[in-house]
Amino acid sequence: MSARTFLAAVVLAWGALGDVASAQIKLGAAEALTGNAAQYGLPIRKGFELAMGEINAAGGINGRKLELIIEDEQGKKEEAINVFKKLIFQDKVLMLFGPTLSNSAQASDPVAQGAKVVVFGTSNTADGITSIGNYVFRNSVTEADILPVTLKVALQKTGLKKVAVLYGNDDAFTKSGYDNFKRALEGLKIPVTTTETFAKGDVDFKPQLTKIKASNPDAIVLSALVAEGAPVMVQARQLGIHLPFIGGNGMNSPKIFELAKDSSDNLWVGSPWSVENPAPENKKFIAAYQKAHNALPDQFAAQAYDAMHIVAQALKNVKLSGKLDGDRKALRDALPGVQFSGATGPFKFRQVTDKAGKPAGYDAVQTAIVSVTKGNQYVIQK
């Protein structure tokens, strides 16, 4: 190699390193921005964008700004798979967030695992998702962890002795919620007077509610997304059923006040996040969100906001080389060690195992806050 050629090579290499050092860090998000699940996906998007704005305003990650490519997966499994493939293979993102629903995650997360790209769920709580593999993470606390706590607090506060159960039997999230409610009820030795089901998209729940009323329970355990859960509560009140409802993550949304209106009282839910939590990190998040959107955030915005900060913490410990495969693995290796205290409280990961008992992905370790709805507000009970 001549001296001139060598010098040219050095200049090119230096330029490439300079490009890597100054380029934006490209992240992806596959969320439901249209359709029924958009009531969760749109707040999630706002949470990501709020956190990213804060991180970039503070100088980014080791001098590099974050860029977020957001695609609409419409809350559908097939679209989630398509969007995952676009973000991973066409846009070549470093990692991706999403999708919005557990049903979609069970279909699309294997795409990320197969490509060895971190996928980070902020709203997937069904069983088995992080068992898919060691590139699958989530900061949304599982129904298995939240529902027993919610039931126990409702039991202590209301004195209920027997419950009826109503759940969606054609969705991974609502079916997983039912399975976990069932285990928790058995553990607490609470009898079930009747178990009724519905399908996604149903609008008439009076036949099931009439059977529930006839079984004379003290409360109704409901595993549903708010699109079906809100009309369930409205129709129950119309039938003269004024019992407490005990719901999962899908019912923990301010949308319940908009959709169920005067019928939304006496709904018990659990989550690491509450708008009433006075922790300084939460008050800072709520104030920033209100300033940006002139509205209060919800659990889903809070979890997305924290997720972006968790990824940022991991990235600060990664020396990005510009070689995508290596950088994706380096981020995967850095994430499990992150401990963070944000809008949803103190957070860390715990590794789960797959069906064969081998180490797999990572679930959230957080403490549940149990609230009940009253007068269009969530009131903390524990």
Side-chain angles (χ1 to χ4, degrees):
M1 179 183 294
S2 68
R4 179 176 294 180
T5 305
F6 176 75
L7 179 60
V10 169
V11 169
L12 284 172
W14 182 259
L17 288 173
D19 288 345
V20 171
S22 61
Q24 291 185 325
I25 300 172
K26 194 189 298 183
L27 312 179
E31 301 294 349
L33 306 179
T34 57
N36 283 339
Q39 56 204 322
Y40 308 113
L42 292 174
I44 288 171
R45 176 181 189 159
K46 292 174 181 175
F48 286 144
E49 291 176 339
L50 181 61
M52 186 174 67
E54 291 177 354
I55 294 163
N56 284 342
I61 306 296
N62 301 326
R64 295 175 61 178
K65 299 291 179 66
L66 297 178
E67 174 191 2
L68 184 64
I69 301 174
I70 305 178
E71 296 287 349
D72 182 10
E73 45 86 356
Q74 304 173 29
K76 299 176 180 175
K77 291 190 285 188
E78 298 78 10
E79 284 303 313
I81 291 171
N82 291 337
V83 167
F84 267 45
K85 289 179 178 176
K86 175 185 179 294
L87 291 169
I88 293 169
F89 301 113
Q90 182 177 324
D91 297 322
K92 300 185 184 304
V93 297
L94 178 64
M95 57 79 63
L96 51 93
F97 294 104
T100 299
L101 299 180
S102 297
N103 220 27
S104 300
Q106 289 192 336
S108 59
D109 283 8
V111 175
Q113 177 66 31
K116 298 189 182 306
V117 178
V118 166
V119 55
F120 194 135
T122 69
S123 55
N124 313 142
T125 55
D127 292 346
I129 290 174
T130 46
S131 297
I132 291 170
N134 61 354
Y135 278 78
V136 184
F137 293 74
R138 61 181 166 187
N139 71 334
S140 39
V141 181
T142 67
E143 297 285 81
D145 290 331
I146 289 287
L147 297 184
V149 179
T150 310
L151 263 179
K152 195 173 290 183
V153 174
L155 173 67
Q156 291 168 350
K157 297 285 185 178
T158 69
L160 65 87
K161 298 188 185 308
K162 55 188 184 304
V163 301
V165 175
L166 178 59
Y167 75 99
N169 63 359
D170 63 343
D171 178 272
F173 164 75
T174 55
K175 176 64 170 58
S176 175
Y178 163 71
D179 291 340
N180 284 296
F181 268 132
K182 185 170 183 287
R183 278 194 289 271
L185 289 167
E186 289 170 353
L188 293 168
K189 301 187 186 307
I190 299 174
V192 175
T193 60
T194 184
T195 299
E196 304 294 331
T197 64
F198 59 85
K200 196 181 291 184
D202 283 357
V203 295
D204 182 7
F205 305 96
K206 287 184 177 175
Q208 297 96 319
L209 290 167
T210 300
K211 290 181 184 176
I212 287 172
K213 185 177 183 181
S215 73
N216 195 31
D218 298 323
I220 300 173
V221 167
L222 177 63
S223 182
L225 297 171
V226 74
E228 286 81 27
V232 164
M233 292 191 69
V234 171
Q235 292 172 33
R237 304 320 185 205
Q238 289 171 348
L239 290 172
I241 304 171
H242 297 287
L243 299 171
F245 276 86
I246 303 167
N249 257 305
M251 295 295 290
N252 191 21
S253 166
K255 275 285 181 183
I256 193 67
F257 305 127
E258 178 184 330
L259 298 176
K261 296 185 170 59
D262 294 342
S263 300
S264 61
D265 277 3
N266 214 3
L267 167 64
W268 293 73
V269 292
S271 164
W273 185 81
S274 168
V275 72
E276 304 296 336
N277 182 356
E281 296 89 348
N282 192 39
K283 291 176 72 173
K284 173 176 174 285
F285 159 68
I286 292 171
Y289 190 97
Q290 282 186 297
K291 184 178 179 182
H293 301 292
N294 195 30
L296 285 170
D298 64 11
Q299 169 193 346
F300 301 95
Q303 289 173 174
Y305 175 86
D306 278 2
M308 182 66 79
H309 278 290
I310 289 167
V311 169
Q313 291 289 326
L315 283 171
K316 288 177 182 174
N317 296 319
V318 174
K319 189 173 182 179
L320 297 173
S321 66
K323 296 178 180 176
L324 194 54
D325 289 347
D327 289 345
R328 285 170 168 172
K329 182 179 184 304
L331 174 60
R332 195 222 74 85
D333 292 344
L335 263 175
V338 173
Q339 295 194 24
F340 179 74
S341 190
T344 62
F347 170 89
K348 63 181 180 181
F349 287 111
R350 74 161 184 266
Q351 191 167 25
V352 303
T353 56
D354 63 15
K355 291 179 180 176
K358 296 179 180 177
Y362 295 83
D363 278 345
V365 178
Q366 287 193 291
T367 302
I369 298 170
V370 178
S371 303
V372 64
T373 54
K374 185 176 182 180
N376 290 341
Q377 288 187 333
Y378 289 101
V379 181
I380 293 177
Q381 300 297 300
K382 172 191 172 290

